[in-house]
Structure formats: C-alpha cells, structure tokens
Amino acid sequence: MHVLVPAGRNRPAGRGIRSRSIHERLWDARDLHGTPVASPALTWATAARRLEVSELVVLGDALVATSTNYERLVRPDVTPDGARAAPALASLEELAGIANAWGNREGGASLRVAAARIRLGVESPMETWTRLVIVAAGLPEPEVGVEVWNGPEFVGRVDLAYRAQRIAIEYEGDHHRTDKRQWRKDIGRVNRLQEIDWFAIRATAAQLWPTPTRFVDQVRAALQRAEARGA
C-alpha cells in the first residue's frame, strides 16, 4: 500500500506499506466514499518515479478524458446511462500546474514533458500509444477524436486523423472483433470514409509491437501521396 502524508507528519511504516511525504504546496487530498485519497493530479505526479514519459502521457490522457466510451475508466461521479460525456478526473491545467510545481523533485522533468503531450478526446490507452508511435517516428502529430462530415451528413468519429490530407487512423482493439455490433459499425464507417475519398489506416497491437515499422511506413506513405496530389 502506498501512503502519502503532508510534510511534517509522521510517515506510517509497516510491512507492505510504502509512505512518502508531500510538500504542503503540492498536497491535494480528496474524499472517495469516506476514504481520503490523493487527487488524480497528485497521484499522476507521484507515479513519475516509476513510469516513463510515454506511460505518463497514457495516464494523463485517461485523466482528462470525458468520453464514457473509455474502457475500464472508473469515475467516482455518477454518470447517467447512455451519456456520451462525463466529468474528467483532472484537467489539463491541473496536470500542467502540478508538473511545473514539482520542480526538481524526482520525475519533475518527465512530468513537464508528458504534460505537454497530453491531449483531450482520447478514448483508450491504445489510441494514445498509436499517436505516440507516430510522433516518435518523426511524423506530424495527428488530430485526436475527429468528427468527419460530408456536408450535413455525419460520417463518423475517427481515433486519429490528418484532416487536411483526408487520412483516418483507427486502432482496433479486440472488442472491435468480438462485438458483432461494433464490428459492423466499424466496417460501415470505413466504407463511408472511402466513399468520400478518405484513406483509412487500421492498426492492431500486432502492427504496433514489437516493431511498428510497417505501420509507420503506411502512415508516411499516405501523407506523401496526399502531398503529391496537393492536399
């Protein structure tokens, strides 16, 4: 169990307990069902001791997410059934603020790099990983959670996109295969994208790990084709 206490308080000790003092300027506790817990932003910051920058971005994207489609993301607030949006666990401003306030403490540099890479609108950890793979390859960062319209007709929402180049990038988790309704919806969306001259690139974990070379080459080639035709 990890226990945080304000600086100046006695740190609990015992078998299975790891304790840490937090400066009063950084201290932020919340009540969760009667139990005092660290705020999401403070929890994110303390994780910098063990997580890499990319992992902090994944966690940060989840904390600022408002979509109810984000799988396994538990929020303490009650969200009405059927709602498409819910309160975020933290804001971009909160994460950037604590990253800057962390200063030279362990993990501070990683927090500041990660805070600048967190984006709104992400709906799964793998969407974040896909974006980070693309950026790490030196390619332009795609836009997150893009709604595609054909005039007044809503075509669909895509995970990542280069809007000007009409390129959509979709991460397909296993539930896209096992959920018949989702599978049919995905096929229909890709078909509609193709009808309005969008190019769709679909990725799974196999395309991203252990080496994403082929996937990155596909994205790069799509961008080059768009540039050649004057997009």
Side-chain angles (χ1 to χ4, degrees), residues 1 9 18 39 52 56 70 86 108 124 131 137 150 152 166 169 175 177-178 181 185-186 202-203 206-207 217 221:
M1 178 182 293
R9 299 277 188 89
R18 292 186 179 182
S39 71
E52 297 178 357
L56 289 170
Y70 200 111
S124 77
R131 184 180 87 245
N150 182 30
R166 303 174 77 85
I169 302 167
H175 75 282
R177 177 186 61 83
T178 57
R181 182 174 176 272
K185 182 180 178 181
D186 292 341
R202 304 171 76 181
Q207 276 72 55
D217 286 346

Side-chain angles (χ1 to χ4, degrees), residues 76-98:
D77 299 312
V78 176
T79 302
D81 291 339
R84 297 183 62 184
L89 294 173
S91 68
L92 284 172
E93 292 74 21
E94 285 179 299
L95 298 185
I98 199 166

Side-chain angles (χ1 to χ4, degrees), residues 43-183:
T43 302
W44 176 74
T46 58
R49 274 188 174 181
R50 297 180 177 274
L51 300 186
E52 297 178 357
V53 169
S54 57
E55 294 171 313
L56 289 170
V57 177
V58 172
L59 179 56
D61 277 1
L63 291 179
V64 302
T66 58
S67 171
T68 55
N69 290 330
Y70 200 111
E71 189 177 4
R72 303 175 112 179
L73 182 61
V74 179
R75 298 180 174 93
D77 299 312
V78 176
T79 302
D81 291 339
R84 297 183 62 184
L89 294 173
S91 68
L92 284 172
E93 292 74 21
E94 285 179 299
L95 298 185
I98 199 166
N100 289 327
W102 212 251
N104 295 324
R105 294 173 180 82
E106 185 177 5
S110 294
L111 288 172
R112 288 185 286 279
V113 172
R117 298 178 182 175
I118 294 169
R119 299 291 180 263
L120 298 171
V122 178
E123 293 192 347
S124 77
M126 293 304 295
E127 284 185 30
T128 302
W129 283 116
T130 305
R131 184 180 87 245
L132 294 179
V133 163
I134 292 170
V135 173
L139 296 174
E141 181 175 343
E143 190 177 346
V144 172
V146 174
E147 291 188 351
V148 180
W149 293 78
N150 182 30
E153 176 199 3
F154 177 63
V155 176
R157 180 192 180 281
V158 298
D159 297 339
L160 302 165
Y162 296 103
R163 195 190 300 263
Q165 293 82 5
R166 303 174 77 85
I167 299 170
I169 302 167
E170 296 271 60
Y171 179 80
E172 309 284 3
D174 201 47
H175 75 282
H176 289 263
R177 177 186 61 83
T178 57
D179 186 325
K180 184 180 292 185
R181 182 174 176 272
Q182 184 66 52
W183 178 61

Side-chain angles (χ1 to χ4, degrees), residues 212-225:
T213 305
R214 182 67 180 274
F215 168 72
V216 168
D217 286 346
Q218 289 173 334
V219 176
R220 181 179 289 110
L223 288 169
Q224 290 172 343
R225 286 195 299 270

